[in-house]
Amino acid sequence: MADIDIPPRLIDLERAAWAEQQAGALTVETAAAVQQAYTEHAAATEGLSRLALEMATKRAVRHPADEA
């Protein structure tokens, strides 16, 4: 996967959503906030797909050793 510059805000949102998911407490509001942030950032970044951004962010949050 190509290197994608992930804003710290997206990392923070995804970490919060992942923590809620792991605790079995993911809310619709949290999930919607993350998806909206992905969509907005991808739209503001020419040529970046929302899906590629989401996948890269999830990999960075859920598998940080892979990013080293």
Side-chain angles (χ1 to χ4, degrees), residues 39-55:
T39 300
E40 289 173 359
H41 184 70
T45 308
E46 189 172 328
L48 177 62
S49 82
R50 187 209 51 81
L51 180 58
L53 175 62
E54 182 175 351
M55 289 173 56

Side-chain angles (χ1 to χ4, degrees), residues 14-38:
E14 183 59 42
R15 279 187 183 139
W18 182 236
E20 286 184 17
Q21 187 174 354
Q22 293 297 290
L26 180 64
T27 64
V28 172
E29 292 79 16
T30 299
V34 175
Q35 289 301 312
Q36 181 176 353
Y38 286 140

